[in-house]
Amino acid sequence: MGGPRFAGVQGPLAPFKAAFEIELQRLGYVEGVVELQLRLMADVSHWLECTGVEVGGFDAEAIAAFLAERGRVRRSRPVKSLGAMLAFLRDVGVVPYPLPSVLGPVEAMLEEYRHFLLHERGLTTGTARGYVDAVRPFVTARLRDERIDVAGIVTADVFAFVTAVCPGKARGPAQLTATALRSVLGWWHLSGLTNTPLAAVVPAVASWRLARLVEPLADGGIERLLRSCDRDGVAGRRDYAMLTLLARLGLRRGEVAGLRLDDIDWRAGEIVVRGKGPKEARLPLPVDVGEAVADYLRQGRPATAQGRTVFVRVQAPHRELSPTGVTQAVFAAGQRAGLGTVYAHRLRHSAATSMLRAGASLADVGQVLRHQRVLTTAIYAKVDREALRTIARAWPTSAS
């Protein structure tokens, strides 16, 4: 890719211009966006030079002042457009971390919490994002006169939030809300922002195993999902390959997102699946699955893809796709195919049901799905009522 024609970055940020341009190109940004980002860097550098603010002092207050000035001159406040440049300057160690926030006290607090989850708890980016989104309403409710009132939280506040938010959620999101709330309350207490440890007062979300039937897709549903993908485009090739992995091998969304180039043994026709925790398993790679993945790698995966994961974002920067991205791809395919709401885990149920109806035993299905207990596989057997009838005992009758 040829570099943009714009090169006018002068002032304190001039030494970082070339490296920033290379980084933007590495992340897969198109030439027009690279030029816009360099112009923004030039504006920031000129503002720093005129105001006498050092690069290391480009904190939240300085950013707010820059945006206010830019808004008066250009009638725009590009808060989000500063993200790429600030992330770059943070990574090279010239602006402070946490990343300066100009979005107000709520987002500033949540950014610090996200940093704690990533760097202290070791959570993945997607999991940390889920935690942050779950507690955002609780943090927003504590906003008092442009500050977050954490010290004033009492047990009643915690109960009120849980009882107001969780009843309208499905079990999974409700459990995530409770877990994230315990986490942020624990972080506040660990940081000394609250005197009372309140994490333990968050009530548990009720859950009953095997209580709900998960219906597989109807006959022909998988084929309709696959046909909905436009395989002439990058997104269609990627989504087709992911859907094929989900439907044929029963992978979880996180396993698809985490699949790495080194996990595929093309000669042996096998893939390594990294499941929950440190567990790994080798599975045979069916021909149709291998062809779909190979087609995406040859004609869909961009040369600017970051890291070694097989599946990456369609839009730049081409970083690894998150499990949520896999879910969104399945959901979109379901909408295109006219199947209504379809999530990734439903394809896992469909794969298990197909194996059962083809004559596989529960033990066989559990081995493919990498279950540790037969009881877990029984969740998938519930939907196959015909198979259950073969193992059900006759109802006792009176001997009259």
Side-chain angles (χ1 to χ4, degrees), residues 77-229:
R77 294 173 63 83
V79 177
K80 292 184 179 180
S81 62
L82 282 171
M85 187 190 67
L86 289 173
F88 167 77
L89 294 176
R90 176 202 66 197
D91 291 341
V92 298
V94 296
V95 298
Y97 195 91
L99 195 63
S101 173
V102 294
L103 302 180
V106 172
E107 294 304 322
M109 173 71 75
L110 292 174
E111 173 63 21
E112 292 183 27
Y113 175 52
R114 189 185 69 85
H115 181 258
F116 164 76
L117 293 174
L118 291 173
H119 299 278
E120 299 296 332
R121 289 282 310 281
L123 271 61
T124 64
T125 302
T127 302
R129 184 187 306 117
Y131 276 43
V132 168
D133 290 343
V135 300
R136 179 175 279 105
F138 185 73
V139 176
T140 302
R142 306 304 305 174
L143 183 61
R144 306 284 189 275
D145 297 327
E146 296 302 315
R147 67 180 185 85
I148 306 299
D149 177 21
V150 174
I153 298 175
V154 295
T155 301
D157 298 324
V158 177
F159 273 103
F161 176 75
V162 173
T163 55
V165 173
C166 288
K169 295 178 178 288
R171 185 187 67 182
Q175 290 177 332
L176 173 61
T177 298
T179 301
L181 186 58
R182 293 188 194 99
S183 171
V184 75
L185 289 170
W187 172 60
W188 282 335
H189 182 62
L190 183 66
S191 303
L193 298 177
T194 59
N195 295 323
T196 305
L198 294 172
V201 307
V202 179
V205 176
S207 174
W208 294 272
R209 290 184 61 83
L210 308 180
R212 183 173 62 90
L213 287 172
V214 178
E215 293 291 342
L217 289 174
D219 292 342
I222 296 297
E223 289 72 17
R224 289 170 61 182
L225 276 180
L226 295 175
R227 286 197 303 268
S228 74
C229 299

Side-chain angles (χ1 to χ4, degrees), residues 233-261:
V234 172
R237 289 192 178 97
R238 186 200 66 182
D239 294 353
Y240 182 86
M242 294 193 304
L243 288 168
T244 305
L245 282 166
L246 292 164
R248 293 281 279 115
L249 296 181
L251 301 189
R252 303 178 179 93
R253 62 173 192 161
E255 293 167 348
V256 172
L259 186 65
R260 301 177 64 81
L261 298 173

Side-chain angles (χ1 to χ4, degrees), residues 42 200 231 244 276:
R231 299 181 67 186
T244 305
K276 294 181 177 179

